[in-house]
Amino acid sequence: MGALPRTAIGKWGFYSTVIFVVLFIAGASDVAMPFPSFVIFGIGIAGMVLNVVAFVKKDRSVTGILVGALVGAFIIFWLGGELLFPH
């Protein structure tokens, strides 16, 4: 088990989840964002799916598992909160 992913799918999944985190934090601040929030969350969901596929294909990296699981749980809870308690 390495720290970073070794396969191409694992790298794509890891970097897309990192991009999601950066864009989400930038969108929450006062920075003008060129992307709508559904595109940002689409990037996060794609990264989560790619991390799961990489895990199934035997890419057992610590950051791929942790980052993918944390971002996936965050997206699921955020989406559930937005659907249950719209503002």
Side-chain angles (χ1 to χ4, degrees), residues 33-49:
M33 289 299 298
F35 302 113
S37 58
F38 68 87
V39 172
I40 296 171
F41 277 94
I43 293 170
I45 290 171
M48 180 184 67
V49 169

Side-chain angles (χ1 to χ4, degrees), residues 1-14 17 46-70:
M1 250 176 109
L4 292 175
R6 294 185 181 147
T7 63
I9 294 174
K11 289 178 184 178
W12 275 96
F14 174 72
T17 52
M48 180 184 67
V49 169
L50 287 172
N51 281 326
V52 169
V53 169
F55 183 77
V56 169
K57 291 192 171 212
K58 307 289 189 239
D59 187 1
R60 307 276 198 260
S61 64
V62 175
T63 54
I65 295 168
L66 287 177
V67 171
L70 290 175

Side-chain angles (χ1 to χ4, degrees), residues 16-17 20-21 24 40-49 67-83:
S16 62
T17 52
F20 164 76
V21 170
F24 184 80
I40 296 171
F41 277 94
I43 293 170
I45 290 171
M48 180 184 67
V49 169
V67 171
L70 290 175
V71 167
F74 175 75
I75 290 172
I76 290 170
F77 285 127
W78 183 279
L79 183 62
E82 287 291 326
L83 293 175

